[in-house]
Every structure is written in structure tokens, then in C-alpha cells.
């Protein structure tokens, strides 16, 4: 489904088609990727590692903002710790926000993904994500989440 507005192209995705479209955007990234996901699982990180590896190798600044793993139960804590170590080994900047619950991504300050899907952990839940192609919206969102300095702009 697509909607056109004065803010740019807006599209909606469910959990079945999100990752294919999201990975296409990631592969096109040239400057920066910011991902906010409160939960991180090994299953999902292992699926995204090839594209994240490619991004960091071509010099794209990748930042992940998540909850501190100690906020999770023991199983999720261990998964998050291992996944975070894998990300950091690739040069990904990992930040922690207390009581974090946002699910979003901003690519090159121009593409924004936002919705209910935990990008770094989603498995079998029903979710919706909105994709907005608008530098204005991306910049506004970066201002709200106070991560502008991690975009290389």
C-alpha cells in the first residue's frame, strides 16, 4: 500500500514483507544507518549480519540504540550480549537507552522506518512498519531521538 503526501512517499509493510524491503534500503545506504530496537536476538542478528558487514566495510556509519541487556530476562540478556559483541566487532556503535521501546530506523537521513516491529528481534509476532522517504521527516525524527551526531552529517 502506498500513500503520497507533501512529506514524501509513505508505504506500509507487515512482518511478512518488511525485511526484504528494509534490506534493500540497507544495501543502498551510503552514509549512515541508525536502528533503534529495544530487543536483540541472535536469530535476527545472524540474518542481518551479512548486510551490516557489507555496510561497515564500505564505510557506512552504523549505530544501534537498544536497551541495556541487564533489563532483559536471563535468556534474552545473554542473546543480546552476544549479538552486541558481534555488532561491535564489525564497528557498529551500540548505545543503551533505559526503558527503550522505540522501533525505528533512519537510513542516510532520507529514509525512515517506524512502527511496532522490533527490527533486531522480531520472530513470529504480527507487526506494521511505515516507510517514509523524506529528508525532512528523517531529520525531525533524528532530532526527537537525539541521535543526529551518529549520522555523519
Amino acid at each position: 500500500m502506498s500513500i503520497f503526501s507533501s512529506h514524501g512517499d509513505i508505504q506500509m509493510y507487515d512482518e511478512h514483507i518488511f525485511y526484504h524491503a528494509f534490506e534493500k534500503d540497507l544495501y543502498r545506504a551510503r552514509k549512515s544507518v541508525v536502528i533503534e530496537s529495544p530487543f536483540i536476538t541472535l536469530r535476527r542478528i545472524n540474518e542481518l549480519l551479512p548486510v551490516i558487514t557489507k555496510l561497515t566495510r564500505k564505510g557506512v556509519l552504523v549505530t544501534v540504540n537498544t536497551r541495556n541487556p541487564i533489563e532483559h530476562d536471563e535468556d534474552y540478556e545473554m542473546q543480546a550480549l552476544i549479538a552486541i559483541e558481534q555488532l561491535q566487532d564489525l564497528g557498529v556503535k551500540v548505545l543503551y537507552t533505559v526503558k527503550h521501546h522505540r522501533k525505528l530506523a533512519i537510513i542516510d537521513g532520507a529514509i525512515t522506518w517506524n512502527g511496532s516491529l522490533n527490527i533486531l528481534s522480531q520472530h513470529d509476532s504480527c507487526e506494521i512498519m511505515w516507510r517514509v522517504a523524506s529528508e525532512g521527516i528523517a531529520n525531525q525524527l533524528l532530532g526527537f531521538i537525539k541521535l543526529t551526531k551518529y549520522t555523519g552529517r
Side-chain angles (χ1 to χ4, degrees), residues 10-152:
I10 302 172
Q11 298 169 323
M12 188 180 355
Y13 296 80
D14 68 11
E15 71 280 1
H16 301 292
I17 59 175
F18 165 74
Y19 283 101
H20 178 72
F22 181 63
E23 287 184 25
K24 281 175 66 175
D25 280 347
L26 289 177
Y27 277 114
R28 291 187 199 119
R30 297 289 171 250
K31 296 179 266 178
S32 65
V33 172
V34 174
I35 299 172
E36 289 206 323
S37 184
F39 300 98
I40 300 177
T41 62
L42 287 172
R43 179 181 183 275
R44 185 57 69 191
I45 284 296
N46 288 333
E47 290 175 7
L48 291 171
L49 276 179
V51 67
I52 293 170
T53 300
K54 189 169 190 156
L55 290 173
T56 57
R57 285 185 180 158
K58 68 180 183 179
V60 175
L61 179 62
V62 180
T63 304
V64 168
N65 188 24
T66 189
R67 287 183 179 185
N68 189 318
I70 64 172
E71 291 184 44
H72 303 311
D73 65 34
E74 191 173 336
D75 181 48
Y76 280 117
E77 178 182 0
M78 288 307 301
Q79 286 193 56
L81 287 168
I82 294 166
I84 288 166
E85 184 177 345
Q86 290 176 320
L87 291 169
Q88 290 173 327
D89 286 347
L90 292 174
V92 173
K93 176 77 172 173
V94 179
L95 309 171
Y96 297 140
T97 298
V98 175
K99 297 184 181 180
H100 184 298
H101 201 66
R102 296 183 297 244
K103 297 107 177 166
L104 59 91
I106 302 166
I107 300 169
D108 287 342
I111 304 291
T112 301
W113 288 92
N114 191 13
S116 63
L117 188 146
N118 281 292
I119 296 169
L120 300 180
S121 69
Q122 192 277 336
H123 175 59
D124 63 357
S125 55
C126 297
E127 309 291 347
I128 297 290
M129 291 296 276
W130 293 87
R131 181 189 185 273
V132 180
S134 166
E135 286 185 24
I137 297 295
N139 285 330
Q140 187 175 15
L141 187 54
L142 281 166
F144 283 143
I145 64 174
K146 298 177 180 26
L147 293 182
T148 305
K149 66 182 175 183
Y150 297 104
T151 63

